[in-house]
Coordinates of all heavy atoms in Angstrom, one line a residue:
M288 N 32.7 50.6 46.3 CA 33.0 49.3 45.7 C 31.9 49.1 44.6 O 30.8 49.5 44.7 CB 33.0 48.2 46.7 CG 31.9 47.2 46.5 SD 31.9 45.8 47.6 CE 30.4 46.2 48.5
T289 N 32.4 48.5 43.5 CA 31.5 48.2 42.4 C 31.5 46.6 42.2 O 32.6 46.1 42.2 CB 31.9 48.9 41.1 OG1 31.8 50.3 41.4 CG2 30.9 48.5 40.0
G290 N 30.4 46.0 42.1 CA 30.3 44.6 41.7 C 29.4 44.5 40.5 O 28.9 45.5 40.0
A291 N 29.2 43.3 40.0 CA 28.4 43.0 38.9 C 27.7 41.7 39.0 O 28.2 40.7 39.6 CB 29.2 43.0 37.6
L292 N 26.5 41.6 38.5 CA 25.8 40.3 38.5 C 26.4 39.4 37.4 O 26.5 39.9 36.2 CB 24.3 40.5 38.2 CG 23.5 41.3 39.3 CD1 22.0 41.3 38.9 CD2 23.7 40.6 40.6
V293 N 26.7 38.2 37.7 CA 27.2 37.3 36.7 C 26.1 36.4 36.1 O 26.4 35.6 35.2 CB 28.4 36.4 37.3 CG1 29.5 37.3 37.6 CG2 27.9 35.6 38.4
M294 N 24.9 36.5 36.6 CA 23.8 35.8 36.0 C 22.5 36.6 36.3 O 22.5 37.4 37.2 CB 23.6 34.4 36.6 CG 23.4 34.3 38.0 SD 23.1 32.6 38.7 CE 24.7 31.9 38.4
D295 N 21.5 36.4 35.6 CA 20.2 37.1 35.8 C 19.7 36.8 37.2 O 19.9 35.7 37.7 CB 19.1 36.6 34.8 CG 19.4 37.0 33.4 OD1 20.3 37.9 33.2 OD2 18.7 36.5 32.5
E296 N 19.1 37.8 37.9 CA 18.6 37.6 39.2 C 17.3 38.4 39.3 O 17.3 39.6 39.5 CB 19.6 38.2 40.2 CG 19.3 37.9 41.7 CD 19.2 36.5 42.0 OE1 20.1 35.7 41.6 OE2 18.2 36.1 42.7
G297 N 16.2 37.7 39.1 CA 14.9 38.4 39.1 C 14.8 39.4 38.0 O 15.0 39.1 36.9
K298 N 14.5 40.6 38.4 CA 14.3 41.7 37.4 C 15.7 42.3 36.9 O 15.7 43.1 36.0 CB 13.4 42.8 37.9 CG 12.0 42.4 38.1 CD 11.2 43.5 38.6 CE 9.8 43.1 38.9 NZ 8.9 44.2 39.4
A299 N 16.8 41.9 37.6 CA 18.1 42.4 37.3 C 18.8 41.5 36.3 O 19.1 40.3 36.7 CB 18.9 42.6 38.6
P300 N 19.1 41.9 35.1 CA 19.8 41.1 34.2 C 21.3 40.9 34.4 O 21.9 41.8 35.1 CB 19.6 41.7 32.8 CG 19.4 43.2 33.2 CD 18.7 43.2 34.5
E301 N 21.9 39.9 33.9 CA 23.3 39.7 34.0 C 24.0 41.0 33.5 O 23.6 41.6 32.6 CB 23.7 38.5 33.1 CG 25.2 38.3 33.0 CD 25.6 37.1 32.1 OE1 24.7 36.3 31.8 OE2 26.7 37.1 31.6
G302 N 25.1 41.4 34.1 CA 25.8 42.6 33.7 C 25.4 43.8 34.5 O 26.0 44.8 34.4
T303 N 24.3 43.7 35.3 CA 23.9 44.8 36.1 C 25.0 45.1 37.1 O 25.6 44.2 37.7 CB 22.6 44.5 36.9 OG1 21.6 44.3 36.0 CG2 22.3 45.6 37.9
R304 N 25.4 46.4 37.2 CA 26.5 46.8 38.2 C 25.8 47.2 39.5 O 24.8 47.8 39.5 CB 27.3 48.0 37.6 CG 28.2 47.6 36.5 CD 28.9 48.8 36.0 NE 27.9 49.9 35.8 CZ 28.2 51.2 35.7 NH1 29.4 51.6 35.9 NH2 27.3 52.1 35.5
L305 N 26.5 46.8 40.6 CA 26.0 47.2 41.9 C 27.1 48.1 42.6 O 28.3 47.8 42.5 CB 25.8 45.9 42.7 CG 24.9 44.8 42.1 CD1 24.9 43.6 43.0 CD2 23.5 45.4 41.9
E306 N 26.6 49.2 43.2 CA 27.5 50.1 43.8 C 27.2 50.2 45.3 O 26.0 50.2 45.7 CB 27.3 51.5 43.2 CG 27.7 51.5 41.7 CD 27.6 52.9 41.1 OE1 26.9 53.8 41.7 OE2 28.1 53.1 40.0
G307 N 28.2 50.2 46.1 CA 28.0 50.3 47.6 C 29.3 50.5 48.3 O 30.3 51.1 47.8
H308 N 29.3 49.9 49.5 CA 30.5 50.1 50.4 C 31.0 48.8 50.9 O 30.2 47.8 51.2 CB 30.1 51.0 51.6 CG 29.7 52.3 51.2 ND1 30.5 53.3 50.9 CD2 28.4 52.8 51.0 CE1 29.8 54.4 50.6 NE2 28.6 54.1 50.6
L309 N 32.3 48.6 51.1 CA 32.9 47.4 51.6 C 33.7 47.8 52.8 O 34.4 48.8 52.8 CB 33.8 46.8 50.5 CG 34.4 45.5 50.8 CD1 33.4 44.4 50.8 CD2 35.5 45.2 49.7
W310 N 33.7 47.0 53.9 CA 34.6 47.2 55.0 C 34.9 45.9 55.7 O 34.3 44.9 55.4 CB 34.0 48.2 56.0 CG 32.8 47.7 56.8 CD1 32.8 47.2 58.1 CD2 31.4 47.7 56.4 NE1 31.6 46.9 58.5 CE2 30.7 47.2 57.4 CE3 30.8 48.1 55.2 CZ2 29.3 47.0 57.4 CZ3 29.4 47.9 55.1 CH2 28.7 47.3 56.2
T311 N 36.0 45.9 56.5 CA 36.4 44.7 57.2 C 36.5 45.0 58.7 O 36.7 46.1 59.1 CB 37.7 44.2 56.7 OG1 38.7 45.2 57.0 CG2 37.7 44.0 55.2
T312 N 36.3 43.9 59.4 CA 36.5 44.0 60.9 C 36.8 42.6 61.3 O 36.2 41.6 60.9 CB 35.3 44.6 61.6 OG1 35.7 44.7 63.0 CG2 34.1 43.9 61.4
G313 N 37.8 42.4 62.2 CA 38.1 41.1 62.6 C 38.4 40.2 61.5 O 39.3 40.5 60.6
D314 N 37.8 39.0 61.4 CA 38.1 38.0 60.3 C 37.0 38.0 59.3 O 36.8 37.1 58.5 CB 38.2 36.6 60.9 CG 36.9 36.2 61.6 OD1 36.0 37.0 61.8 OD2 36.9 35.0 62.0
R315 N 36.2 39.1 59.2 CA 35.0 39.2 58.2 C 35.2 40.4 57.3 O 35.8 41.4 57.6 CB 33.7 39.4 59.0 CG 33.4 38.4 60.1 CD 33.0 37.0 59.7 NE 31.8 37.0 58.9 CZ 31.5 36.0 58.1 NH1 32.3 34.9 58.0 NH2 30.4 35.9 57.5
I316 N 34.6 40.2 56.1 CA 34.4 41.3 55.1 C 32.9 41.5 55.0 O 32.2 40.6 54.8 CB 35.0 40.8 53.7 CG1 36.5 40.5 53.9 CG2 34.7 41.9 52.7 CD1 37.1 39.8 52.7
Y317 N 32.5 42.8 55.1 CA 31.1 43.1 55.0 C 30.9 44.1 53.8 O 31.8 44.8 53.4 CB 30.6 43.9 56.2 CG 30.7 43.0 57.5 CD1 31.8 43.1 58.3 CD2 29.7 42.1 57.8 CE1 31.9 42.2 59.4 CE2 29.8 41.3 58.9 CZ 30.9 41.4 59.7 OH 31.0 40.6 60.8
G318 N 29.7 44.0 53.2 CA 29.4 44.8 52.0 C 28.0 45.1 52.0 O 27.1 44.3 52.3
R319 N 27.7 46.4 51.6 CA 26.3 46.8 51.4 C 26.2 47.5 50.0 O 26.9 48.5 49.8 CB 25.8 47.7 52.5 CG 25.6 47.1 53.8 CD 25.1 48.0 54.8 NE 24.9 47.3 56.1 CZ 24.8 47.9 57.2 NH1 24.9 49.2 57.3 NH2 24.5 47.2 58.3
Y320 N 25.3 47.0 49.2 CA 25.1 47.7 47.9 C 23.9 48.6 48.0 O 22.8 48.1 48.5 CB 24.9 46.6 46.8 CG 26.2 45.9 46.5 CD1 26.3 44.6 46.9 CD2 27.2 46.5 45.7 CE1 27.5 43.8 46.6 CE2 28.3 45.8 45.4 CZ 28.5 44.5 45.9 OH 29.6 43.8 45.6
R321 N 24.0 49.8 47.5 CA 22.9 50.8 47.6 C 22.2 51.2 46.3 O 21.2 51.8 46.2 CB 23.4 52.0 48.3 CG 23.9 51.7 49.7 CD 24.5 53.0 50.2 NE 25.0 52.7 51.6 CZ 24.4 53.2 52.7 NH1 23.4 54.1 52.6 NH2 24.9 52.9 53.9
R322 N 22.9 50.8 45.2 CA 22.4 51.2 43.9 C 22.7 50.2 42.8 O 23.8 49.6 42.8 CB 23.0 52.6 43.5 CG 22.5 53.1 42.2 CD 22.7 54.6 42.1 NE 22.0 55.3 43.1 CZ 20.7 55.6 43.3 NH1 19.9 55.1 42.4 NH2 20.3 56.3 44.3
A323 N 21.8 49.9 41.9 CA 22.0 49.0 40.8 C 21.9 49.9 39.5 O 21.0 50.7 39.4 CB 20.9 48.0 40.7
I324 N 22.9 49.7 38.7 CA 22.9 50.3 37.3 C 22.7 49.2 36.3 O 23.5 48.3 36.1 CB 24.3 51.0 37.1 CG1 24.8 51.8 38.2 CG2 24.3 51.8 35.8 CD1 23.9 53.0 38.6
L325 N 21.5 49.3 35.7 CA 21.1 48.3 34.7 C 21.9 48.5 33.4 O 22.3 49.5 33.2 CB 19.6 48.4 34.5 CG 18.7 48.1 35.8 CD1 17.3 48.5 35.6 CD2 18.9 46.7 36.3
P326 N 22.0 47.4 32.6 CA 22.7 47.5 31.4 C 22.2 48.6 30.4 O 23.0 49.2 29.7 CB 22.5 46.1 30.7 CG 22.3 45.2 31.9 CD 21.6 46.0 32.9
D327 N 20.9 49.0 30.6 CA 20.4 50.1 29.7 C 20.7 51.5 30.3 O 20.3 52.5 29.8 CB 18.9 49.9 29.5 CG 18.0 50.1 30.7 OD1 18.6 50.5 31.8 OD2 16.8 49.9 30.6
G328 N 21.4 51.5 31.4 CA 21.9 52.8 32.0 C 21.0 53.3 33.2 O 21.3 54.2 33.9
R329 N 19.8 52.7 33.3 CA 18.9 53.1 34.4 C 19.5 52.8 35.8 O 20.2 51.8 35.9 CB 17.5 52.5 34.3 CG 16.7 52.9 33.2 CD 15.3 52.3 33.2 NE 15.5 50.8 32.9 CZ 14.8 49.9 33.4 NH1 13.8 50.1 34.3 NH2 15.0 48.6 33.1
S330 N 19.3 53.7 36.7 CA 19.9 53.5 38.1 C 18.7 53.4 39.0 O 17.7 54.1 39.0 CB 20.7 54.7 38.4 OG 21.1 54.7 39.7
V331 N 18.7 52.3 39.9 CA 17.7 52.1 40.9 C 18.3 51.9 42.2 O 19.3 51.2 42.4 CB 16.8 50.9 40.4 CG1 16.0 51.2 39.2 CG2 17.6 49.7 40.3
P332 N 17.6 52.4 43.3 CA 18.1 52.1 44.6 C 17.8 50.7 45.1 O 16.8 50.1 44.7 CB 17.3 53.1 45.5 CG 16.0 53.4 44.7 CD 16.4 53.3 43.3
I333 N 18.7 50.1 45.8 CA 18.6 48.8 46.3 C 19.1 48.7 47.7 O 19.9 49.6 48.2 CB 19.3 47.7 45.4 CG1 20.8 48.0 45.4 CG2 18.7 47.6 44.1 CD1 21.6 46.9 44.7
C334 N 18.8 47.7 48.5 CA 19.4 47.3 49.7 C 19.8 45.9 49.7 O 19.0 45.0 49.8 CB 18.5 47.5 50.9 SG 18.1 49.2 51.3
V335 N 21.1 45.6 49.4 CA 21.6 44.2 49.3 C 22.9 44.1 50.2 O 23.8 45.0 50.1 CB 22.0 43.9 47.9 CG1 22.7 42.5 47.8 CG2 20.7 43.9 47.0
E336 N 23.0 43.0 51.0 CA 24.1 42.8 51.8 C 24.9 41.6 51.3 O 24.2 40.6 50.8 CB 23.7 42.5 53.3 CG 23.0 43.6 54.0 CD 22.5 43.3 55.3 OE1 22.0 42.1 55.5 OE2 22.6 44.1 56.2
L337 N 26.2 41.5 51.5 CA 26.9 40.3 51.2 C 26.7 39.3 52.2 O 26.7 39.6 53.4 CB 28.4 40.7 51.1 CG 28.9 41.6 50.0 CD1 30.4 41.8 50.1 CD2 28.5 41.1 48.7
V338 N 26.5 38.1 51.8 CA 26.2 37.0 52.8 C 27.0 35.7 52.3 O 27.3 35.5 51.2 CB 24.7 36.6 52.9 CG1 24.0 37.8 53.5 CG2 24.1 36.3 51.6
N339 N 27.2 34.8 53.3 CA 27.7 33.5 53.1 C 26.7 32.6 53.7 O 26.7 32.4 54.9 CB 29.1 33.3 53.7 CG 29.7 32.0 53.5 OD1 29.2 31.2 52.7 ND2 30.8 31.7 54.1
G340 N 25.8 32.0 52.9 CA 24.7 31.2 53.4 C 23.8 32.2 54.2 O 23.3 33.1 53.6
N341 N 23.5 31.9 55.4 CA 22.7 32.8 56.3 C 23.5 33.7 57.1 O 23.0 34.4 58.0 CB 21.7 31.9 57.1 CG 20.6 31.3 56.3 OD1 20.2 31.9 55.4 ND2 20.2 30.1 56.7
T342 N 24.8 33.7 57.0 CA 25.7 34.5 57.8 C 26.1 35.8 57.1 O 26.5 35.8 55.9 CB 27.0 33.7 58.1 OG1 26.7 32.4 58.7 CG2 27.9 34.4 59.0
L343 N 25.9 36.9 57.8 CA 26.2 38.2 57.2 C 27.7 38.3 57.0 O 28.6 37.9 57.8 CB 25.8 39.3 58.2 CG 25.9 40.7 57.7 CD1 25.0 40.9 56.5 CD2 25.4 41.6 58.9
G344 N 28.1 38.8 55.9 CA 29.5 39.0 55.6 C 30.2 37.7 55.1 O 29.6 36.7 54.9
L345 N 31.5 37.9 54.8 CA 32.3 36.8 54.3 C 33.5 36.6 55.1 O 34.0 37.5 55.7 CB 32.7 37.1 52.8 CG 31.7 37.6 51.9 CD1 32.4 38.1 50.6 CD2 30.8 36.4 51.5
D346 N 34.1 35.4 55.1 CA 35.3 35.1 55.8 C 36.5 35.7 55.0 O 36.5 35.7 53.8 CB 35.6 33.6 55.9 CG 34.7 32.9 56.9 OD1 34.3 33.5 57.9 OD2 34.3 31.8 56.6
K347 N 37.5 36.3 55.7 CA 38.7 36.7 55.0 C 39.5 35.5 54.7 O 39.5 34.5 55.4 CB 39.5 37.6 55.9 CG 39.0 39.0 56.1 CD 39.9 39.8 57.0 CE 39.4 41.1 57.4 NZ 40.3 41.9 58.3
R348 N 40.1 35.5 53.6 CA 40.9 34.4 53.2 C 42.4 34.5 53.7 O 42.8 35.6 54.0 CB 41.0 34.3 51.6 CG 39.6 33.8 51.1 CD 39.8 33.3 49.7 NE 38.6 32.6 49.2 CZ 38.3 32.4 48.0 NH1 39.2 32.7 47.0 NH2 37.2 31.7 47.7
E349 N 43.1 33.4 53.7 CA 44.5 33.4 54.1 C 45.2 34.4 53.2 O 45.0 34.5 52.0 CB 45.0 32.0 53.9 CG 46.4 31.8 54.4 CD 46.9 30.4 54.4 OE1 46.1 29.5 54.5 OE2 48.1 30.2 54.2
G350 N 46.1 35.1 53.8 CA 46.9 36.1 53.0 C 46.4 37.5 53.3 O 47.0 38.5 52.8
S351 N 45.2 37.6 53.9 CA 44.7 39.0 54.3 C 45.6 39.7 55.3 O 46.2 39.0 56.1 CB 43.3 38.9 54.9 OG 42.3 38.4 53.9
K352 N 45.8 41.0 55.1 CA 46.6 41.8 56.0 C 45.8 43.0 56.3 O 44.8 43.4 55.6 CB 47.9 42.2 55.3 CG 48.7 41.1 54.8 CD 49.9 41.7 54.1 CE 50.3 40.8 52.9 NZ 51.3 41.4 52.0
P353 N 46.2 43.7 57.4 CA 45.4 45.0 57.7 C 45.5 46.0 56.4 O 46.5 46.2 55.8 CB 46.3 45.6 58.8 CG 46.9 44.4 59.5 CD 47.2 43.4 58.3
G354 N 44.3 46.4 56.1 CA 44.2 47.3 54.9 C 44.2 46.6 53.6 O 44.0 47.2 52.5
H355 N 44.3 45.3 53.6 CA 44.2 44.5 52.3 C 43.6 43.1 52.6 O 44.3 42.1 52.7 CB 45.7 44.3 51.7 CG 45.7 43.6 50.4 ND1 45.3 44.3 49.2 CD2 45.9 42.4 50.1 CE1 45.4 43.4 48.3 NE2 45.8 42.2 48.7
A356 N 42.3 43.1 52.6 CA 41.5 41.9 52.9 C 41.4 41.1 51.6 O 41.3 41.7 50.5 CB 40.2 42.2 53.4
V357 N 41.6 39.8 51.7 CA 41.4 38.9 50.5 C 40.1 38.1 50.7 O 39.9 37.5 51.8 CB 42.6 37.9 50.4 CG1 42.4 37.0 49.2 CG2 43.9 38.7 50.3
G358 N 39.3 38.1 49.7 CA 38.0 37.4 49.8 C 37.7 36.7 48.5 O 38.4 36.8 47.5
A359 N 36.6 36.0 48.5 CA 36.1 35.3 47.2 C 35.8 36.4 46.2 O 35.3 37.5 46.5 CB 34.9 34.5 47.5
K360 N 36.0 36.0 44.9 CA 35.7 36.9 43.8 C 34.2 36.9 43.4 O 33.6 37.8 43.0 CB 36.5 36.5 42.5 CG 37.9 36.8 42.7 CD 38.7 36.6 41.4 CE 40.1 36.9 41.6 NZ 40.5 38.2 41.2
E361 N 33.5 35.7 43.7 CA 32.1 35.6 43.4 C 31.4 35.3 44.8 O 31.8 34.4 45.4 CB 31.7 34.5 42.4 CG 32.1 34.9 41.0 CD 31.7 33.9 40.0 OE1 30.7 33.1 40.3 OE2 32.2 33.9 38.9
V362 N 30.4 36.2 45.1 CA 29.8 36.0 46.4 C 28.3 36.2 46.2 O 27.8 36.7 45.2 CB 30.3 37.0 47.4 CG1 31.8 36.8 47.7 CG2 30.1 38.5 47.0
N363 N 27.6 35.8 47.3 CA 26.1 36.0 47.3 C 25.7 37.2 48.0 O 26.4 37.7 48.8 CB 25.5 34.8 48.0 CG 25.7 33.5 47.2 OD1 25.5 33.5 46.0 ND2 26.0 32.4 47.9
G364 N 24.5 37.7 47.6 CA 24.0 38.9 48.2 C 22.5 38.5 48.6 O 21.9 37.6 48.1
R365 N 22.0 39.3 49.6 CA 20.7 39.1 50.1 C 20.0 40.5 50.1 O 20.5 41.4 50.8 CB 20.7 38.5 51.5 CG 19.4 38.5 52.2 CD 19.5 37.8 53.6 NE 20.4 38.6 54.5 CZ 21.0 38.1 55.6 NH1 20.8 36.8 55.9 NH2 21.8 38.8 56.3
A366 N 18.9 40.6 49.5 CA 18.1 41.8 49.5 C 17.4 41.9 50.9 O 16.9 40.9 51.5 CB 17.0 41.8 48.5
V367 N 17.5 43.1 51.4 CA 16.9 43.4 52.8 C 16.1 44.7 52.7 O 16.3 45.5 51.8 CB 18.0 43.6 53.8 CG1 18.8 42.3 54.0 CG2 19.0 44.7 53.5
E368 N 15.1 44.8 53.6 CA 14.3 46.0 53.7 C 15.0 47.1 54.4 O 14.8 48.3 54.1 CB 13.0 45.7 54.4 CG 12.1 44.8 53.6 CD 10.7 44.6 54.2 OE1 10.3 45.5 55.0 OE2 10.1 43.5 54.0
R369 N 15.9 46.8 55.3 CA 16.7 47.8 56.0 C 18.0 47.1 56.5 O 18.1 45.9 56.6 CB 16.0 48.4 57.2 CG 15.6 47.4 58.2 CD 14.6 48.0 59.3 NE 14.0 46.9 60.0 CZ 14.2 46.6 61.2 NH1 15.1 47.3 61.9 NH2 13.6 45.6 61.8
W370 N 19.0 48.0 56.7 CA 20.3 47.5 57.2 C 20.2 47.0 58.6 O 19.5 47.6 59.5 CB 21.4 48.5 57.1 CG 21.5 49.1 55.7 CD1 21.4 50.4 55.4 CD2 21.8 48.5 54.5 NE1 21.6 50.6 54.1 CE2 21.8 49.4 53.5 CE3 22.0 47.1 54.2 CZ2 22.1 49.1 52.1 CZ3 22.3 46.8 52.8 CH2 22.3 47.8 51.8
H371 N 20.9 45.9 59.0 CA 20.9 45.4 60.3 C 21.9 46.1 61.2 O 22.9 46.6 60.7 CB 21.3 43.9 60.3 CG 20.3 43.0 59.6 ND1 19.1 42.7 60.1 CD2 20.4 42.5 58.3 CE1 18.5 42.0 59.2 NE2 19.2 41.9 58.1

């Protein structure tokens, strides 16, 4: 999966692309980003998880089906030292 920052976040400017993996289980959507591609083309390793407040992952929205989860288009991420 590929995401992008919609606003500056610390050393990462708006437009930074984030690459990682997305998966679903039960009523949640989980995501882990492993690499940031900065607007100047530099690539740096990262550990960022999708979160909703302090809760890991996101709620699936109404209309989700097996193999086709529906979630928010803009979500928050949390930098972590290691995966939980």
Side-chain angles (χ1 to χ4, degrees):
M288 115 179 112
T289 301
L292 296 182
V293 296
M294 64 177 64
D295 293 347
E296 187 63 45
K298 294 181 181 180
E301 177 182 338
T303 296
R304 287 179 309 158
L305 305 176
E306 297 178 347
H308 300 279
L309 184 71
W310 71 97
T311 65
T312 184
D314 61 350
R315 308 285 298 159
I316 300 170
Y317 297 96
R319 290 183 176 159
Y320 291 105
R321 299 173 178 249
R322 183 154 305 282
I324 311 298
L325 300 168
D327 66 7
R329 288 182 295 144
S330 171
V331 293
I333 60 171
C334 290
V335 173
E336 297 176 322
L337 295 182
V338 294
N339 182 6
N341 287 327
T342 304
L343 187 60
L345 311 167
D346 292 325
K347 288 182 185 176
R348 288 196 170 166
E349 187 174 329
S351 291
K352 301 179 218 172
H355 184 78
V357 178
K360 290 187 182 265
E361 289 187 20
V362 298
N363 293 316
R365 167 178 65 199
V367 296
E368 290 185 27
R369 60 188 163 109
W370 305 121
H371 297 284

